[in-house]
Protein backbone atom coordinates (compact mmCIF):
# COMPACT_ATOMS: atom_id res chain seq x y z
CA UNK A 1 0.00 0.00 0.00
CA UNK A 2 1.19 3.51 -0.78
CA UNK A 3 0.61 6.33 1.70
CA UNK A 4 0.35 10.09 1.27
CA UNK A 5 -0.32 13.22 3.28
CA UNK A 6 -3.75 14.78 3.40
CA UNK A 7 -3.23 18.39 2.39
CA UNK A 8 0.20 19.83 3.07
CA UNK A 9 0.50 18.84 6.73
CA UNK A 10 -1.01 15.37 6.98
CA UNK A 11 -1.95 13.08 8.54
CA UNK A 12 -0.41 10.34 6.41
CA UNK A 13 -3.07 7.94 5.13
CA UNK A 14 -3.35 5.01 2.75
CA UNK A 15 -3.71 6.13 -0.86
CA UNK A 16 -6.75 3.88 -1.15
CA UNK A 17 -9.52 4.46 1.35
CA UNK A 18 -12.63 2.46 2.16
CA UNK A 19 -15.98 4.14 1.56
CA UNK A 20 -18.39 3.00 4.25
CA UNK A 21 -21.77 4.01 2.82
CA UNK A 22 -22.55 0.33 2.18
CA UNK A 23 -22.48 -0.37 5.93
CA UNK A 24 -25.84 1.41 6.08
CA UNK A 25 -27.43 -0.81 3.41
CA UNK A 26 -27.28 1.60 0.47
CA UNK A 27 -26.28 -1.19 -1.92
CA UNK A 28 -28.40 -3.97 -0.46
CA UNK A 29 -28.91 -5.81 2.79
CA UNK A 30 -25.93 -6.08 5.12
CA UNK A 31 -25.25 -6.60 8.80
CA UNK A 32 -22.64 -5.77 11.41
CA UNK A 33 -20.71 -9.02 11.00
CA UNK A 34 -20.33 -8.44 7.27
CA UNK A 35 -19.25 -4.85 7.86
CA UNK A 36 -16.71 -5.95 10.47
CA UNK A 37 -15.33 -8.54 8.01
CA UNK A 38 -14.97 -5.77 5.43
CA UNK A 39 -13.03 -3.63 7.90
CA UNK A 40 -10.81 -6.61 8.75
CA UNK A 41 -10.07 -7.10 5.04
CA UNK A 42 -9.29 -3.41 4.59
CA UNK A 43 -6.75 -3.54 7.41
CA UNK A 44 -5.21 -6.70 5.96
CA UNK A 45 -4.60 -4.82 2.71
CA UNK A 46 -3.01 -1.82 4.44
CA UNK A 47 -6.02 0.50 4.22
CA UNK A 48 -6.10 2.74 7.28
CA UNK A 49 -8.36 5.54 5.99
CA UNK A 50 -12.16 5.37 6.09
CA UNK A 51 -14.76 7.63 4.51
CA UNK A 52 -18.19 7.92 6.09
CA UNK A 53 -20.86 10.56 6.77
CA UNK A 54 -23.52 11.52 9.25
CA UNK A 55 -26.20 10.91 6.60
CA UNK A 56 -25.14 7.32 5.82
CA UNK A 57 -27.94 5.34 7.42
CA UNK A 58 -28.70 8.30 9.70
CA UNK A 59 -25.50 7.59 11.64
CA UNK A 60 -25.47 3.80 11.25
CA UNK A 61 -22.23 3.69 9.25
CA UNK A 62 -20.44 5.77 11.89
CA UNK A 63 -21.88 3.64 14.68
CA UNK A 64 -20.58 0.43 13.11
CA UNK A 65 -17.11 1.93 12.68
CA UNK A 66 -17.17 3.09 16.30
CA UNK A 67 -18.20 -0.35 17.55
CA UNK A 68 -15.47 -1.99 15.47
CA UNK A 69 -12.80 0.31 16.84
CA UNK A 70 -13.98 -0.25 20.40
CA UNK A 71 -14.09 -4.04 19.99
CA UNK A 72 -10.72 -4.39 18.25
CA UNK A 73 -8.80 -1.50 19.79
CA UNK A 74 -7.71 -0.48 16.30
CA UNK A 75 -8.03 3.20 15.35
CA UNK A 76 -8.58 4.06 11.70
CA UNK A 77 -7.97 7.53 10.32
CA UNK A 78 -11.44 8.80 9.55
CA UNK A 79 -13.05 11.29 7.19
CA UNK A 80 -16.69 12.07 7.87
CA UNK A 81 -19.09 14.61 6.49
CA UNK A 82 -21.81 16.93 7.76
CA UNK A 83 -23.97 19.77 6.55
CA UNK A 84 -26.93 17.90 5.09
CA UNK A 85 -30.05 18.32 7.22
CA UNK A 86 -30.75 14.82 8.52
CA UNK A 87 -34.47 14.17 8.25
CA UNK A 88 -35.00 17.43 6.36
CA UNK A 89 -36.49 17.97 2.93
CA UNK A 90 -34.47 16.76 -0.05
CA UNK A 91 -31.57 19.07 -0.82
CA UNK A 92 -31.76 20.90 2.52
CA UNK A 93 -28.31 21.84 3.81
CA UNK A 94 -27.13 23.82 6.81
CA UNK A 95 -23.53 25.04 7.10
CA UNK A 96 -24.06 27.32 10.10
CA UNK A 97 -21.65 26.96 13.01
CA UNK A 98 -24.28 25.67 15.49
CA UNK A 99 -25.52 23.05 13.02
CA UNK A 100 -22.05 21.85 12.04
CA UNK A 101 -20.91 21.75 15.66
CA UNK A 102 -23.90 19.60 16.60
CA UNK A 103 -23.33 17.35 13.57
CA UNK A 104 -19.62 16.94 14.32
CA UNK A 105 -20.31 16.18 17.97
CA UNK A 106 -22.81 13.50 16.97
CA UNK A 107 -20.35 11.97 14.51
CA UNK A 108 -17.55 11.83 17.08
CA UNK A 109 -19.88 10.28 19.65
CA UNK A 110 -20.95 7.53 17.25
CA UNK A 111 -17.36 6.94 16.11
CA UNK A 112 -16.13 6.87 19.72
CA UNK A 113 -13.40 9.44 19.08
CA UNK A 114 -12.58 12.93 20.31
CA UNK A 115 -11.12 14.04 16.96
CA UNK A 116 -11.57 13.17 13.29
CA UNK A 117 -8.69 13.43 10.86
CA UNK A 118 -10.79 15.03 8.10
CA UNK A 119 -14.17 16.75 8.23
CA UNK A 120 -15.97 17.57 5.00
CA UNK A 121 -18.84 19.88 4.27
CA UNK A 122 -21.03 17.27 2.56
CA UNK A 123 -23.00 19.81 0.53
CA UNK A 124 -22.88 23.59 0.34
CA UNK A 125 -25.51 25.75 2.02
CA UNK A 126 -25.82 28.56 -0.49
CA UNK A 127 -27.24 30.96 2.11
CA UNK A 128 -23.81 31.12 3.80
CA UNK A 129 -20.67 32.35 2.07
CA UNK A 130 -17.96 29.72 1.84
CA UNK A 131 -15.49 32.05 3.56
CA UNK A 132 -17.70 32.06 6.66
CA UNK A 133 -17.88 28.26 6.59
CA UNK A 134 -14.08 28.09 6.47
CA UNK A 135 -13.91 30.32 9.55
CA UNK A 136 -16.15 27.83 11.38
CA UNK A 137 -14.06 24.85 10.29
CA UNK A 138 -10.84 26.65 11.24
CA UNK A 139 -12.31 27.16 14.70
CA UNK A 140 -12.95 23.41 14.97
CA UNK A 141 -9.30 22.85 14.04
CA UNK A 142 -8.09 25.26 16.68
CA UNK A 143 -10.24 23.48 19.26
CA UNK A 144 -8.59 20.16 18.34
CA UNK A 145 -11.82 18.57 17.08
CA UNK A 146 -10.64 18.01 13.51
CA UNK A 147 -7.31 17.66 11.76
CA UNK A 148 -8.01 18.82 8.22
CA UNK A 149 -11.22 20.10 6.66
CA UNK A 150 -12.55 19.79 3.16
CA UNK A 151 -15.52 20.09 0.84
CA UNK A 152 -17.50 17.54 -1.14
CA UNK A 153 -18.73 18.29 -4.67
CA UNK A 154 -17.58 21.89 -5.10
CA UNK A 155 -16.22 23.86 -8.05
CA UNK A 156 -12.63 25.10 -8.51
CA UNK A 157 -13.79 28.68 -7.98
CA UNK A 158 -15.28 27.74 -4.59
CA UNK A 159 -12.07 25.97 -3.60
CA UNK A 160 -10.03 29.05 -4.44
CA UNK A 161 -12.32 31.27 -2.36
CA UNK A 162 -12.11 28.87 0.58
CA UNK A 163 -8.33 28.48 0.34
CA UNK A 164 -7.90 32.25 0.40
CA UNK A 165 -9.12 32.11 4.03
CA UNK A 166 -7.31 28.96 5.23
CA UNK A 167 -5.69 25.85 3.70
CA UNK A 168 -8.25 23.29 2.51
CA UNK A 169 -7.04 19.76 3.22
CA UNK A 170 -9.14 17.87 0.69
CA UNK A 171 -11.82 18.04 -1.96
CA UNK A 172 -13.97 14.97 -2.60
CA UNK A 173 -15.60 15.09 -6.03
CA UNK A 174 -16.81 12.36 -8.34
CA UNK A 175 -14.10 11.34 -10.82
CA UNK A 176 -14.49 8.18 -12.84
CA UNK A 177 -14.51 6.75 -16.34
CA UNK A 178 -17.99 8.24 -16.60
CA UNK A 179 -17.36 11.65 -15.02
CA UNK A 180 -14.24 13.56 -16.07
CA UNK A 181 -15.22 17.04 -14.90
CA UNK A 182 -12.33 17.38 -12.39
CA UNK A 183 -9.96 17.48 -15.37
CA UNK A 184 -11.51 20.82 -16.38
CA UNK A 185 -9.94 22.72 -13.49
CA UNK A 186 -10.36 21.00 -10.13
CA UNK A 187 -7.30 18.77 -10.37
CA UNK A 188 -5.21 21.77 -11.40
CA UNK A 189 -6.57 23.93 -8.56
CA UNK A 190 -5.90 21.20 -5.99
CA UNK A 191 -2.32 20.78 -7.21
CA UNK A 192 -1.74 24.51 -7.10
CA UNK A 193 -3.21 24.96 -3.62
CA UNK A 194 -1.81 21.84 -1.94
CA UNK A 195 -5.27 20.32 -1.53
CA UNK A 196 -5.61 16.55 -1.75
CA UNK A 197 -8.13 15.40 -4.37
CA UNK A 198 -10.16 12.43 -3.15
Amino acid sequence: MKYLNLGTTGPRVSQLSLGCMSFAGFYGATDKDESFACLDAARAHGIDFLDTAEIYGLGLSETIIGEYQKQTGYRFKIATKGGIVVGGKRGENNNSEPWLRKALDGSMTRLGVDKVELYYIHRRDWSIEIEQVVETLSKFQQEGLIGQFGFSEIAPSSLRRAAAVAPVGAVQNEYSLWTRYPELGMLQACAELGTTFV
Side-chain angles (χ1 to χ4, degrees):
M1 180 60 64
K2 295 180 180 179
Y3 297 84
L4 51 75
N5 284 337
L6 279 175
T8 56
T9 60
R12 199 157 183 79
V13 298
S14 54
Q15 192 169 16
L16 296 178
S17 66
L18 176 65
C20 300
M21 189 166 74
S22 62
F23 293 175
F26 275 82
Y27 301 113
T30 187
D31 57 32
K32 186 167 76 171
D33 289 341
E34 189 173 22
S35 297
F36 276 27
C38 184
L39 291 167
D40 284 338
R43 288 175 59 188
H45 285 85
I47 295 172
D48 66 1
F49 186 35
L50 303 182
D51 181 273
T52 186
E54 175 190 33
I55 198 73
Y56 295 170
L58 304 181
L60 178 59
S61 174
E62 293 174 327
T63 298
I64 288 171
I65 294 166
E67 290 179 1
Y68 179 90
Q69 293 191 137
K70 183 176 181 181
Q71 181 174 307
T72 63
Y74 181 81
R75 173 69 163 88
F76 284 99
K77 298 176 182 76
I78 298 172
T80 192
K81 300 179 278 290
I84 294 178
V85 176
V86 177
K89 61 186 177 183
R90 186 173 176 81
E92 185 179 2
N93 305 309
N94 189 331
N95 294 172
S96 69
E97 181 177 342
W99 183 271
L100 292 176
R101 187 175 291 279
K102 180 181 178 184
L104 176 58
D105 182 63
S107 291
M108 292 192 300
T109 298
R110 289 185 291 274
L111 291 164
V113 300
D114 56 13
K115 179 180 181 177
V116 292
E117 282 70 28
L118 175 60
Y119 193 66
Y120 289 111
I121 298 301
H122 205 159
R123 292 293 185 271
R124 287 281 311 281
D125 172 356
W126 295 101
S127 71
I128 302 175
E129 298 295 336
I130 198 167
E131 291 86 353
Q132 184 178 340
V133 180
V134 171
E135 290 173 3
T136 294
L137 296 170
S138 295
K139 189 179 297 184
F140 294 166
Q141 276 184 315
Q142 293 160 11
E143 294 172 11
L145 301 175
I146 64 175
Q148 298 283 347
F149 63 82
F151 293 88
S152 180
E153 302 300 337
I154 64 168
S157 57
S158 295
L159 172 59
R160 291 183 188 283
R161 285 177 55 192
V165 179
V168 178
V171 166
Q172 181 186 62
N173 281 15
E174 183 178 357
Y175 184 38
S176 66
L177 293 174
W178 183 261
T179 302
R180 311 302 290 181
Y181 291 121
E183 295 175 355
L184 301 178
M186 180 56 81
L187 295 179
Q188 297 87 337
C190 284
E192 175 188 329
L193 298 167
T195 299
T196 299
F197 183 85
V198 178

